[in-house]
Amino acid sequence: MKFSRYMMWNFLKMFLLVLLGAILMFAVIDFVGNIKTWLARDTKDAIDYYVSYLPYMIYLISPVALFIAVLASIGNMTRHLEMSAMQSSGQAPFKTLIPIFVFGVLVSIGSYEMSELWLPDANHKRLETMETNAQKKKNPRIKEKRDFTFIDSERASWFFRHYSGKGRFGRDVVLLLREDGRLVERYDAKLVRWIEEPPKDSLDSIARLSSIDPPPGCWQFERGHRREFHKDGTVNVFPIHREKVCDKITTHPGDLINERQTADEMDSKMVMARINVLRRSGEDTRAMETALQFKRSAHWMNLIVLLIGAALCHRYSRSGGLSQKFGVGLLIVFSYYILERIGLKMGENGALSPFWAAWISHFVYGGVSVVMLYRSFRL
């Protein structure tokens, strides 16, 4: 028990040291790269940006920090024959390392919980505060759309000459409503705006906060005409001054332009809701489906790289020093990252199913880590 506490203290100390050092270096490099932007902004914006960036930094850095920590702490104990002494006393190496493996499982679970509870809001606030040049080129944030069609379902189809996501209004809008494939109504309006309904009472407000459903409201059509098409071929035309359409359509402003435009800004429920919207409108869902699977798989990298590091360093060897093991391990870990990214790109492009695109790298390197541990414990 004393040796386990001693071993975990060495490991945790090294893990926190590497994690904090890497976060500091990450933040400094990012700040220097965007220093022209920050010089033109308020100091508060920069502070808010990096506070919001912190959870994402931890999420990205934790696998490498775990790998370096286990290699440095356990490797150093192995070099001083402390692990060999425990093995000579009759305790199996696997049993000795169980506390570190349990910590790896806890970090993986904690990483998943963080990605569901804190990361979406933090990433959204960060991207709203400032987009870097790289982000603008890769995924520019869409605030407005022009001349586009949106198919909400088999019943409703929209055409917008212009739509503002921030103001939640559209200009020169056409809405077509169908029943059993037959056109029954058409709305033409110069202006359409979203009118949000306030909560009826405090209980309703609390229920909305705990739900992923969008806040209730309806579209208000202004300055236009409504046409009704009957089965006998007659058409009735009614002028519109200001008319709300609440029960006929289910389209929400977030379906047209989502405020959270990347999967990093959404939790799993939000991603699934976005997939349903894209499916209703007939759009490609492969990127979002791959992102959903990745949200479930990515966190196990923490445990897998920890197993790889433990397999490399827990045995004393005269032939290879700690620096050599560090180089081999670093090569394995970075190849792990590369395979993971290749799988995600193949999933987004349709070359692999979303499940295999997100999980294949973890299956491959999870198998590698088990084989490495088995060989190292057996020898």
Side-chain angles (χ1 to χ4, degrees):
M1 181 63 75
K2 288 184 179 180
F3 183 81
S4 296
R5 288 200 298 265
Y6 166 70
M7 179 185 65
M8 284 302 298
W9 168 245
N10 285 337
F11 171 74
L12 290 174
K13 184 170 59 176
M14 185 59 64
F15 172 67
L16 292 174
L17 184 65
V18 173
L19 185 66
L20 293 174
I23 288 172
L24 180 62
M25 184 173 63
F26 196 111
V28 168
I29 292 172
D30 185 83
F31 180 82
V32 172
N34 298 292
I35 193 166
K36 290 183 179 179
T37 303
W38 293 126
L39 289 175
R41 303 278 293 271
D42 292 338
T43 305
K44 184 179 182 299
D45 290 340
I47 294 173
D48 290 343
Y49 179 83
Y50 286 105
V51 168
S52 301
Y53 210 166
L54 183 60
Y56 194 57
M57 291 183 201
I58 296 172
Y59 173 78
L60 289 177
I61 294 168
S62 58
V64 175
L66 284 170
F67 172 75
I68 295 175
V70 73
L71 208 63
S73 60
I74 304 302
N76 191 49
M77 293 172 66
T78 301
R79 189 161 60 90
H80 291 94
L81 302 180
E82 292 172 278
M83 297 298 292
S84 299
M86 287 301 297
Q87 191 171 354
S88 300
S89 68
Q91 182 162 310
F94 179 80
K95 187 176 180 181
T96 304
L97 294 171
I98 280 178
I100 287 180
F101 296 156
V102 170
F103 181 78
V105 173
L106 293 176
V107 170
S108 298
I109 295 172
S111 176
Y112 174 77
E113 292 297 326
M114 184 172 70
S115 72
E116 291 293 299
L117 300 176
W118 300 325
L119 265 181
D121 291 337
N123 283 333
H124 178 64
K125 185 177 180 181
R126 170 174 64 89
L127 294 173
E128 286 291 311
T129 302
M130 189 199 73
E131 283 186 276
T132 63
N133 292 329
Q135 289 163 349
K136 288 177 181 177
K137 291 178 181 177
K138 183 180 178 181
N139 266 323
R141 300 183 74 73
I142 300 171
K143 302 293 185 181
E144 297 182 347
K145 284 185 177 180
R146 294 181 180 275
D147 297 325
F148 74 98
T149 301
F150 179 78
I151 303 172
D152 181 47
S153 61
E154 293 183 359
R155 173 171 170 74
S157 302
W158 296 80
F159 173 77
F160 290 85
R161 183 68 65 186
H162 170 266
Y163 180 76
S164 169
K166 186 176 182 180
R168 294 184 170 186
F169 66 86
R171 299 187 185 279
D172 296 327
V173 180
V174 176
L175 171 64
L176 304 178
L177 298 178
R178 295 179 174 84
E179 286 184 5
D180 299 325
R182 185 178 66 85
L183 183 65
V184 292
E185 278 188 285
R186 169 173 171 155
Y187 289 79
D188 294 82
K190 289 292 183 182
L191 180 66
V192 173
R193 66 175 76 246
W194 176 258
I195 306 298
E196 192 168 304
E197 296 178 358
K200 298 176 183 177
D201 50 38
S202 58
L203 293 177
D204 186 30
S205 180
I206 294 171
R208 277 174 50 186
L209 287 174
S210 62
S211 172
I212 64 166
D213 295 330
C218 59
W219 294 99
Q220 181 172 278
F221 290 73
E222 300 177 10
R223 304 195 309 274
H225 295 85
R226 176 170 63 87
R227 294 176 174 86
E228 292 182 353
F229 301 90
H230 302 281
K231 291 183 179 180
D232 58 4
T234 59
V235 180
N236 294 333
V237 182
F238 304 94
I240 294 176
H241 174 62
R242 187 173 292 172
E243 180 178 330
K244 289 184 178 180
V245 181
C246 297
D247 300 327
K248 297 179 181 179
I249 49 179
T250 59
T251 310
H252 187 267
D255 300 340
L256 303 173
I257 297 180
N258 198 347
E259 292 181 359
R260 305 193 176 210
Q261 297 179 13
T262 65
D264 289 338
E265 301 170 75
M266 309 178 196
D267 59 27
S268 296
K269 292 180 179 179
M270 292 177 184
V271 174
M272 286 189 286
R274 187 62 187 166
I275 290 171
N276 291 332
V277 170
L278 294 174
R279 281 178 179 163
R280 289 205 314 268
S281 62
E283 297 183 53
D284 188 3
T285 62
R286 289 177 297 188
M288 278 294 172
E289 288 180 13
T290 303
L292 178 61
Q293 291 295 334
F294 181 66
K295 282 184 174 293
R296 296 166 178 169
S297 69
H299 319 284
W300 295 110
M301 178 180 273
N302 293 287
L303 177 61
I304 292 170
V305 299
L306 188 68
L307 297 178
I308 292 172
L312 284 170
C313 70
H314 83 90
R315 286 182 64 252
Y316 177 75
S317 175
R318 294 178 181 272
S319 58
L322 193 58
S323 59
Q324 181 180 340
K325 294 175 180 177
F326 178 78
V328 172
L330 211 58
L331 179 64
I332 294 173
V333 170
F334 277 107
S335 65
Y336 188 176
Y337 269 107
I338 292 170
L339 182 60
E340 182 185 61
R341 292 297 152 185
I342 291 173
L344 291 176
K345 286 298 178 185
M346 293 179 72
E348 291 171 2
N349 296 329
L352 284 175
S353 69
F355 176 84
W356 285 107
W359 286 93
I360 189 169
S361 60
H362 306 293
F363 288 150
V364 170
Y365 282 88
V368 169
S369 67
V370 170
V371 171
M372 290 176 66
L373 278 173
Y374 175 75
R375 287 174 58 84
S376 65
F377 289 146
R378 191 183 63 172
L379 294 175

